[in-house]
Amino acid sequence: MMSDVRKKVAYLKGLVDGMDLNPENKETRLLKEIVEVLEQMAEAIHDLHEDYEELEEYLESIDEDLYDLEDEVYAGDEDEYEEDEDEDEEDEEDEEDEGDYIEVECPKCHEIVCFDADVLDDEDVVEVTCPNCETVVFVNDEDEKASAIEEEPPDPKDTDDI
């Protein structure tokens, strides 16, 4: 296709040169300039096409090199790949377990205290204290909850919000 454009422009140039046109005529000068611009455009398109072909070859070479590199990097022992998959599954399970927690607002400083939900199932008495003011915010035993709440007198500072 590129050579066709160049051939057609060369043919047009030959036609213009072969015609007995008056060189002083404005139309003759215009026609010769148009043919010259077409010739320059055809040459520029030809050069771009050659550059495109070179880039395409270079890209194919890079693609082949990348494919070879991937084979070298990922062609390790298949057992290692399976172990990595097992570890990924375990990590996902751990992340799911991390989501089981309870949030409680401290009655004294109004800080949100988070703790593991497994505390609810614990047979031993477990008290959860606020890390900010060390007030007991949760007790997993019903008897202890009532006494902990009774022992904590309201803080007069808490009534400032009212």
Side-chain angles (χ1 to χ4, degrees):
M1 182 180 144
M2 289 300 114
S3 62
D4 292 342
V5 173
R6 290 172 60 188
K7 285 180 184 177
K8 287 179 182 180
V9 171
Y11 174 74
L12 288 175
K13 186 175 183 181
L15 279 178
V16 171
D17 289 343
M19 298 172 87
D20 288 330
L21 299 174
N22 183 3
E24 300 298 321
N25 194 350
K26 291 180 183 180
E27 289 84 10
T28 304
R29 290 193 318 235
L30 175 65
L31 192 55
K32 286 187 176 189
E33 286 296 320
I34 289 173
V35 170
E36 188 175 321
V37 169
L38 285 173
E39 188 176 27
Q40 291 172 356
M41 288 175 62
E43 192 61 37
I45 290 172
H46 177 74
D47 292 344
L48 284 172
H49 186 70
E50 285 181 347
D51 291 345
Y52 168 77
E53 287 177 345
E54 287 178 24
L55 285 173
E56 191 173 31
E57 289 175 15
Y58 181 67
L59 181 61
E60 287 175 7
S61 169
I62 289 175
D63 191 40
E64 289 172 8
D65 291 345
L66 180 60
Y67 182 75
D68 293 342
L69 183 63
E70 286 175 343
D71 280 348
E72 288 179 29
V73 170
Y74 296 116
D77 191 22
E78 288 184 21
D79 293 336
E80 288 178 17
Y81 179 71
E82 290 174 6
E83 287 176 13
D84 289 344
E85 284 182 349
D86 292 340
E87 288 174 10
D88 290 343
E89 289 174 8
E90 289 173 9
D91 290 344
E92 288 174 8
E93 290 173 6
D94 290 344
E95 288 174 6
E96 289 173 5
D97 292 341
E98 289 175 8
D100 298 334
Y101 64 91
I102 297 175
E103 293 182 356
V104 177
E105 182 177 347
C106 176
K108 188 172 182 181
C109 69
H110 302 291
E111 186 76 23
I112 300 295
V113 179
C114 298
F115 58 93
D116 193 352
D118 293 338
V119 169
L120 298 173
D121 300 330
D122 202 336
E123 292 181 13
D124 296 331
V125 175
V126 177
E127 290 183 346
V128 178
T129 58
C130 175
N132 192 29
C133 66
E134 301 199 14
T135 302
V136 175
V137 294
F138 181 81
V139 179
N140 72 336
D141 185 36
E142 291 298 323
D143 296 332
E144 289 291 323
K145 278 186 197 176
S147 63
I149 292 172
E150 290 173 8
E151 290 176 9
E152 290 292 326
D155 189 1
K157 296 178 189 172
D158 287 345
T159 58
D160 291 344
D161 294 349
I162 300 175

